[in-house]
Amino acid sequence: MKKLIILSAMLGSVVACKPKQNLVTTSVERKTQVALKGDWVVNNVDYAGSEYFKVNAFEVADAKCFEGSEWHLVSNNDSGTMALKKAGCSDYASAIKWYVTEDKQFVLKFIKEGDKPRKVTSGYILIVSNVTENSFDLTDKMQVGNSAGKVVYHFKRK
């Protein structure tokens, strides 16, 4: 019983974090990008093992803090904003640059005040899927210990 309690405590303290990646410019998939234009809310965040560890999403906050976050995506200039609003989590807001590649990769850069977007060369690459008129998913793949893991952000049109 003691071993089980100790193992549970150790698993509860595991934190997964995916570092920023260097980004390269690639061809944009306009049809999907235009479909994502508008105002969105993350209505759910799923990841296996969420009861055992925390995922520091985008080096901003725990992935579960992104539930209820509001995203404004502008497709004609690849810009937008996002803001965390979940009770019990720190408030956070940022300008973003984003685009969708022909491989259905959602490339995301957080732009700090005073930064020139073209000078920001690192960010995050997620997989965009299940795109409909009123919803889509972004999947972030990462390493958790020696295993591959993924976090799925479910977006709903506002």
Side-chain angles (χ1 to χ4, degrees):
M1 184 65 167
K2 283 183 182 180
K3 288 180 184 178
L4 181 60
I5 292 170
I6 292 171
L7 180 60
S8 294
M10 286 174 34
L11 287 174
S13 65
V14 173
V15 175
C17 181
K18 179 178 169 181
K20 289 182 185 173
Q21 299 166 281
N22 287 329
L23 305 175
V24 294
T25 305
T26 185
S27 298
V28 173
E29 205 283 292
R30 286 282 169 207
K31 183 179 177 188
T32 303
Q33 187 144 329
V34 169
L36 300 184
K37 175 184 172 185
D39 294 311
W40 300 89
V41 174
V42 176
N43 67 325
N44 192 26
V45 177
D46 292 327
Y47 54 97
S50 62
E51 63 278 8
Y52 300 115
F53 62 90
K54 295 196 176 294
V55 173
N56 184 3
F58 312 114
E59 299 176 35
V60 170
D62 180 72
K64 290 290 186 178
C65 287
F66 280 79
E67 290 177 342
S69 63
E70 296 179 358
W71 296 65
H72 176 68
L73 303 177
V74 180
S75 62
N76 65 340
N77 66 1
D78 308 336
S79 67
T81 58
M82 65 76 55
L84 299 182
K85 306 226 175 206
K86 188 171 183 177
C89 294
S90 296
D91 287 341
Y92 178 84
S94 180
I96 60 173
K97 281 300 222 180
W98 66 282
Y99 60 90
V100 178
T101 70
E102 291 176 349
D103 296 331
K104 301 292 188 206
Q105 294 180 321
F106 185 95
V107 178
L108 173 65
K109 299 191 292 186
F110 289 88
I111 309 300
K112 295 179 183 171
E113 192 172 328
D115 283 351
K116 300 269 188 218
R118 69 181 183 283
K119 299 280 186 180
V120 178
T121 59
S122 62
Y124 304 91
I125 300 172
L126 300 96
I127 305 300
V128 64
S129 61
N130 303 320
V131 178
T132 70
E133 186 177 328
N134 294 309
S135 64
F136 72 95
D137 296 334
L138 289 180
T139 301
D140 191 9
K141 295 181 181 179
M142 61 187 59
Q143 280 298 120
V144 181
N146 293 330
S147 302
K150 64 182 179 177
V151 178
V152 182
Y153 302 89
H154 302 281
F155 286 75
K156 261 205 174 323
R157 192 170 295 278
K158 223 173 141 177

